[in-house]
Amino acid sequence: MNKFNNSFTLTKRSFKILAIFTLLACGPGMADYDEFMSFFMPESANASVQNQKYNYTSVFFYNDNEGELSNDTVDLCKLENIKAWMTYCQGKLSEKEIEKGIYIGLKGSKLLGFLKANKNQAAIEYLQFSQEIDKIYTKNEDSYFNETSVDTTALENLTQKGLILAQKNTKDIFLRERIGFQSVKLFSINKQYENAISSYRQFIAPISPKSFISDWALMRKAEAETALNQTQEAYYDFAQVFDRSLSHRSQADLVARARIDSFQVTNEVLKFCKDDHEKAAVYAFAGIKPATDALTMLEEMVKIDPKNSMIELIMAREINKNEKYYYDQNYGYNYYSDEDSTSTIEARKKATDYWSKLKNFSVICAENQNLPKTGFWEVASAYMEYIQGDFTKSEEFLSQAKAVNTTNNGLKNQILLQELLLITKNVTQITPEVEMNFLPILEKFSKPKDFRMSNAILEACKTLSSKYQGGQGNQSLADKKGWLSGCSSNQKSEKILVNVPHAIAKAYLVTMLTTTQVNIGEEYGGFESQKDMFNIEDTTSLATIEKVISYFSETNKSDFDKRLQKLVGFDNDHLFVLMGRRAMDENNYKKAEEAFGKVSASFWEMDDWKLYFNENPFFISPKYNKEEPNKNYNAHTFAKRMTELEANLKANPNDGESAYLLGCGAYNTTWHGNSWVLRRHYWSSTEVNEYSKTNFNKDYYNVSKAQGFFMQAMKSTNSEVAAKACFGVAQCELANYNVFVYTQEAKPDESPEDFELRMAKLRESKYSSFFALLKTKYQNTQYQKQVLAECGDYKLFTGK
């Protein structure tokens, strides 16, 4: 059985309603809100997991909070603090013993016993003081560093006690730094912001060397400065906390985003910096913010601090950001008001020129011996040369990147993706050697883990499909005209040599690798970039599918053939059901019988077929919603019966009964009938509309084949058969009228009532001629009387 189970959407008659169903299309479906057009993996940068949170994204954070530690500023960031106290206690106490003494209660703890044994009364007094502070306020869970005081008198007393402790002449820097931090914190909680800043300068600034506790105090100082509108110094302080403090970097970034309007790096900010590394920290802090273009900042960082760990990440952000605007594919939903560029419109205009600037900078960095040799700059240069169409230089840089020994899997994957894009773009002829070059990479990225991998697979496979068909494949997915503009390439330009067998079949299969159903991954659903396999199958010719089946039927398969076919995963049932559908869609009943006959008998017993092929395909009732169950046919026996009827009619053109049954079968396999599933994977009441670019002037929507059979049946000498056929043509008229109405728009200033009236007059004048014929020529038939009794539409037409 085929792994896809030939899934269907709902049929209109199965649930007795004309429900509105969502029609899957060739373009994006359910949205991955952070997905956009990109081929460059930000993980190529040599950045830590925590830093990768600041990769470019159209929303707030990349993989929001993934890899972050759980920080609690009220309990002093346990992880950092406990480890520091373990060192302070000479490693004599375990992590749990330290945690219990600091955060649960000092009394009776082993920590208290250790401090008493070492006669460290100052540490005991500090811990008692710290635990008193934790009791006097609760933290506001909605905002970092906004506490709600619960005991203002105790707060004031503790503030004074903190000043006394801080002013004690102690040589213990470990305790002195912590007491100073508590002093800054207490003033901040009490909204005495000037005193908080003064306490930092008095008690923390002179300490050397400083530990992470000083950065905690600096965070409080920066928060106080924003409250006093001292934004330039706050900007500098937040940047240093972000640079140095793993536990507080996320808070520093969030508070700064919320409270500082502009992140332009000015001399007013830089004047607070003590060295080049601090300046680079300011540039990096600005470079990861929304509404920031960071190339000039990167240039400064490379000059003054080339070993800075944020340089590659910020460069990857610039590439990803420019991709989004360059490709002009803003499919993602932006839940925040700020785009990650100075202006969306301006960015799109400058994106093409910006590639040149980024590329030139990247090429210079690739040659800069002061920068770490990670391979990132070579890969970035290769990608931007590719974007600008210089494939030779792109290959040169890619070769240099391969020569760098790296453990960065993100960079390794980017090299492979870039190699795949270059292979498919550069190839001038398809040969077995070329096939074996790109196949291993396609196999590696089968079931892609993210949308960039999916983008690259889609780009490469669309290009390959075109080239297998002899085209150049120039209109790639990255084409500014729209990379989801069609389900297959219609490239008609220069031809390339195709020196492999079964080229059309292979073109079809690599197209299948771009679809969600074939190439969906466990970690990534492919909602935006991948296509809908069913839409492609439902619009492919019978001739193409026959070539695919011939390819699968080869007995002497090459290694490439076996691996490609395995990669797609189609079995015989899937292929022959598809062939049968395509034959039925082209009214080739003999081919449909042949194909459906090769499908396993058990396949037709699947619930899908029982549910969606459950009405008599040779029955058209004049009574609305009257159904006759399908007791006799599966897809194979139906196609066989259509073949027999067609042979009968060919042998005897006057066989009205056969012509009538052919008309019923042809009608019911259209969008209007009860057996559409024999031609399509899904059905929707809304797929015929004025907005779709679908060609509705073809047999499936306009029922021309069925109407031809009914017209021939009307020539029967049996008036009852002729009357039934006349009603069948009238149903075809109604079907064609409905398609016309569904695809029309009201005229300007035309009310809905006026539109309906105009359409009703049109039906009366152009789409009711066979109702009129039934009323006049066949009025004495029993069937006409039945229609008059059961068909409200006809009864209304006759005025009865």
Side-chain angles (χ1 to χ4, degrees):
M1 185 172 62
N2 164 27
K3 66 181 179 181
F4 305 117
N5 293 332
N6 277 262
S7 302
F8 311 112
T9 57
L10 302 173
T11 172
K12 56 182 177 181
R13 289 194 174 87
S14 293
F15 290 134
K16 316 295 190 295
I17 58 171
L18 280 176
I20 297 177
F21 304 123
T22 301
L23 174 65
L24 296 175
C26 205
M30 295 173 63
D32 176 349
Y33 61 85
D34 194 22
E35 183 172 331
F36 61 96
M37 180 63 168
S38 171
F39 299 111
F40 191 81
M41 302 181 71
E43 293 82 5
S44 301
N46 191 29
S48 66
V49 173
Q50 288 79 12
N51 281 352
Q52 286 177 14
K53 176 180 180 178
Y54 301 100
N55 291 338
Y56 172 78
T57 174
S58 58
V59 290
F60 213 60
F61 288 119
Y62 186 82
N63 292 339
D64 197 11
N65 292 325
E66 185 174 311
E68 286 282 289
L69 298 174
S70 177
N71 299 320
D72 184 345
T73 58
V74 174
D75 65 14
L76 308 180
C77 300
K78 288 183 180 180
L79 186 61
E80 271 184 321
N81 202 31
I82 289 172
K83 288 182 178 179
W85 276 94
M86 288 176 69
T87 301
Y88 184 71
C89 294
Q90 304 166 13
K92 299 295 178 63
L93 299 178
S94 69
E95 185 175 321
K96 288 186 177 180
E97 289 169 340
I98 294 290
E99 181 179 11
K100 182 178 180 181
I102 295 177
Y103 297 111
I104 297 176
L106 187 60
K107 186 176 180 180
S109 69
K110 289 188 176 181
L111 175 59
L112 178 60
F114 176 85
L115 294 175
K116 285 182 176 179
N118 286 273
K119 299 180 181 180
N120 193 340
Q121 186 61 29
I124 295 172
E125 289 181 8
Y126 166 74
L127 287 171
Q128 291 171 338
F129 171 62
S130 173
Q131 291 173 3
E132 284 184 77
I133 294 173
D134 289 342
K135 296 176 183 179
I136 65 169
Y137 69 89
T138 57
K139 187 170 186 305
N140 183 344
E141 296 297 335
D142 296 329
S143 178
Y144 289 108
F145 302 107
N146 283 339
E147 292 83 8
T148 302
S149 299
V150 294
D151 189 338
T152 54
T153 301
L155 175 61
E156 187 63 35
N157 292 336
L158 283 171
T159 301
Q160 297 305 315
K161 184 176 181 179
L163 288 174
I164 295 171
L165 285 176
Q167 289 168 350
K168 280 188 176 181
N169 184 18
T170 175
K171 296 181 180 179
D172 192 330
I173 296 178
F174 181 87
L175 294 177
R176 190 168 64 193
E177 189 176 25
R178 278 161 173 72
I179 294 168
F181 161 70
Q182 296 290 5
S183 178
V184 176
K185 176 180 173 180
L186 285 165
F187 279 124
S188 180
I189 293 171
N190 208 22
K191 297 184 173 20
Q192 296 177 355
Y193 298 122
E194 294 90 345
N195 290 339
I197 295 170
S198 297
S199 288
Y200 179 90
R201 290 172 177 165
Q202 181 178 358
F203 302 122
I204 298 295
I207 291 176
S208 181
K210 294 179 174 63
S211 75
F212 62 89
I213 290 293
S214 290
D215 291 326
W216 292 8
L218 185 60
M219 182 70 211
R220 293 284 181 177
K221 172 177 177 280
E223 194 267 346
E225 288 162 346
T226 60
L228 297 173
N229 202 31
Q230 298 174 10
T231 55
Q232 302 296 326
E233 188 167 359
Y235 187 167
Y236 160 77
D237 288 338
F238 281 131
Q240 304 315 312
V241 173
F242 182 88
D243 180 60
R244 297 193 296 255
S245 177
L246 289 178
S247 62
H248 279 58
R249 67 192 333 255
S250 180
Q251 292 94 317
D253 175 60
L254 286 172
V255 176
R257 290 189 191 209
R259 300 187 182 182
I260 297 179
D261 293 332
S262 172
F263 286 93
Q264 296 301 316
V265 179
T266 65
N267 289 330
E268 287 297 310
V269 176
L270 293 175
K271 73 179 183 182
F272 296 104
C273 297
K274 302 176 186 64
D275 54 42
D276 284 342
H277 181 78
E278 288 196 351
K279 289 179 181 178
V282 171
Y283 285 121
F285 193 60
I288 63 163
K289 294 295 185 294
T292 301
D293 288 326
L295 182 55
T296 56
M297 301 175 192
L298 277 170
E299 291 170 341
E300 291 299 318
M301 290 178 71
V302 168
K303 288 179 186 176
I304 63 178
D305 191 19
K307 299 296 191 291
N308 193 289
S309 62
M310 295 293 288
I311 290 176
E312 290 185 8
L313 183 149
I314 296 173
M315 180 61 177
R317 280 178 56 86
E318 291 301 289
I319 293 173
N320 290 155
K321 178 178 63 180
N322 208 50
E323 283 181 308
K324 180 178 179 182
Y325 296 107
Y326 175 75
Y327 295 125
D328 196 22
Q329 298 294 335
N330 189 18
Y331 288 127
Y333 297 106
N334 183 13
Y335 291 126
Y336 301 90
S337 58
D338 289 331
E339 282 282 356
D340 200 353
S341 184
T342 53
S343 165
T344 300
I345 296 175
E346 180 184 348
R348 285 173 179 166
K349 288 180 179 179
K350 74 179 184 180
T352 301
D353 291 337
Y354 202 50
W355 281 131
S356 296
K357 295 177 181 178
L358 287 174
K359 184 195 73 175
N360 293 339
F361 174 70
S362 183
V363 169
I364 292 171
C365 288
E367 299 171 353
N368 189 336
Q369 298 303 311
N370 293 323
L371 289 167
K373 280 296 177 184
T374 62
F376 171 81
W377 296 105
E378 288 78 9
V379 165
S381 301
Y383 179 62
M384 286 179 285
E385 292 287 10
Y386 168 82
I387 290 296
Q388 294 195 315
D390 195 331
F391 302 143
T392 300
K393 287 185 178 179
S394 181
E395 286 181 336
E396 291 174 1
F397 278 116
L398 202 60
S399 296
Q400 294 174 25
K402 291 179 185 178
V404 177
N405 187 20
T406 180
T407 59
N408 182 355
N409 288 328
L411 186 73
K412 291 178 181 179
N413 285 335
Q414 181 61 37
I415 290 173
L416 285 174
L417 290 183
Q418 184 65 42
E419 191 170 20
L420 177 63
L421 294 175
L422 279 170
I423 290 171
T424 55
K425 188 69 69 174
N426 263 343
V427 62
T428 57
Q429 59 178 316
I430 301 290
T431 65
E433 291 74 24
V434 168
E435 289 181 327
M436 290 308 296
N437 283 337
F438 67 72
L439 181 63
I441 306 178
L442 288 181
E443 288 175 323
K444 179 175 176 60
F445 294 114
S446 176
K447 317 302 181 191
K449 296 181 179 180
D450 60 47
F451 68 89
R452 290 183 173 88
M453 291 182 182
S454 182
N455 287 348
I457 294 295
L458 191 58
E459 168 84 340
C461 287
K462 183 172 181 180
T463 303
L464 281 171
S465 179
S466 175
K467 292 190 173 185
Y468 266 122
Q469 298 172 69
Q472 285 286 67
N474 292 328
Q475 188 177 341
S476 68
L477 305 181
D479 195 300
K480 297 291 286 296
K481 295 178 182 178
W483 58 295
L484 286 173
S485 59
C487 287
S488 62
S489 175
N490 292 318
Q491 195 68 29
K492 301 291 185 180
S493 61
E494 299 177 47
K495 300 293 183 178
I496 67 168
L497 295 175
V498 183
N499 295 323
V500 293
H502 300 290
I504 297 301
K506 292 173 181 177
Y508 180 83
L509 292 187
V510 296
T511 299
M512 288 294 103
L513 292 176
T514 70
T515 66
T516 302
Q517 291 87 342
V518 171
N519 218 14
I520 191 170
E522 293 181 3
E523 300 176 46
Y524 172 68
F527 295 131
E528 288 288 351
S529 59
Q530 292 180 343
K531 300 177 184 177
D532 173 29
M533 180 186 77
F534 297 151
N535 184 280
I536 297 174
E537 289 188 339
D538 287 348
T539 54
T540 299
S541 71
L542 171 61
T544 295
I545 300 306
E546 287 184 298
K547 290 176 181 178
V548 173
I549 289 177
S550 175
Y551 178 43
F552 272 80
S553 301
E554 280 278 5
T555 55
N556 188 23
K557 294 180 182 178
S558 69
D559 184 47
F560 175 84
D561 297 334
K562 294 175 184 177
R563 290 164 65 180
L564 178 62
Q565 291 174 16
K566 180 181 179 181
L567 198 57
V568 176
F570 293 157
D571 62 16
N572 282 338
D573 282 347
H574 178 90
L575 291 172
F576 284 111
V577 168
L578 176 56
M579 177 182 168
R581 277 193 170 124
R582 302 320 306 138
M584 191 66 67
D585 197 56
E586 296 180 16
N587 301 300
N588 190 333
Y589 307 124
K590 184 65 177 175
K591 283 284 187 182
E593 178 192 355
E594 175 190 332
F596 287 143
K598 294 181 180 179
V599 178
S600 304
S602 59
F603 190 89
W604 310 121
E605 298 301 316
M606 292 170 57
D607 289 342
D608 288 338
W609 284 93
K610 288 183 177 180
L611 181 61
Y612 301 115
F613 189 35
N614 60 356
E615 299 170 30
N616 186 348
F618 292 109
F619 178 73
I620 295 179
S621 172
K623 188 172 184 179
Y624 179 70
N625 262 356
K626 181 180 179 181
E627 299 175 5
E628 186 174 285
N630 176 16
K631 297 180 179 180
N632 302 314
Y633 299 101
N634 59 34
H636 175 226
T637 56
F638 171 77
K640 182 177 181 180
R641 179 61 175 148
M642 290 291 282
T643 303
E644 292 169 352
L645 292 169
E646 192 174 45
N648 292 345
L649 189 61
K650 184 177 181 180
N652 179 13
N654 296 319
D655 185 350
E657 184 66 27
S658 291
Y660 174 72
L661 290 175
L662 280 167
C664 290
Y667 177 89
N668 278 324
T669 56
T670 70
W671 181 72
H672 309 273
N674 60 32
S675 303
W676 53 267
V677 73
L678 292 166
R679 295 172 70 171
R680 296 289 189 272
H681 285 83
Y682 47 74
W683 183 93
S684 166
S685 64
T686 61
E687 67 185 274
V688 181
N689 56 69
E690 67 268 33
Y691 308 107
S692 174
K693 295 180 180 180
T694 302
N695 176 19
F696 298 116
N697 187 30
K698 61 181 179 181
D699 184 69
Y700 180 69
Y701 297 110
N702 67 12
V703 297
S704 56
K705 188 70 173 179
Q707 185 166 333
F709 285 132
F710 286 136
M711 292 289 287
Q712 190 166 356
M714 285 180 63
K715 298 175 183 178
S716 174
T717 56
N718 184 324
S719 60
E720 292 296 331
V721 171
K724 288 196 296 182
C726 184
F727 180 74
V729 180
Q731 292 302 101
C732 291
E733 280 190 316
L734 176 60
N736 291 331
Y737 167 75
N738 284 336
V739 170
F740 176 80
V741 171
Y742 296 160
T743 55
Q744 299 303 299
E745 294 185 77
K747 295 178 181 179
D749 301 324
E750 184 178 32
S751 69
E753 294 77 13
D754 289 342
F755 174 77
E756 290 180 10
L757 180 60
R758 179 163 62 88
M759 292 298 104
K761 289 180 179 179
L762 181 68
R763 185 187 177 189
E764 184 177 355
S765 63
K766 288 188 63 176
Y767 294 95
S768 298
S769 57
F770 284 84
F771 264 180
L773 190 61
L774 186 63
K775 177 183 176 183
T776 56
K777 185 175 180 178
Y778 301 103
Q779 62 178 325
N780 295 323
T781 62
Q782 286 300 115
Y783 189 78
Q784 191 275 156
K785 295 175 182 177
Q786 179 186 351
V787 173
L788 185 61
E790 296 182 355
C791 179
D793 196 26
Y794 179 63
K795 187 180 297 186
L796 183 65
F797 173 79
T798 62
K800 297 182 181 181

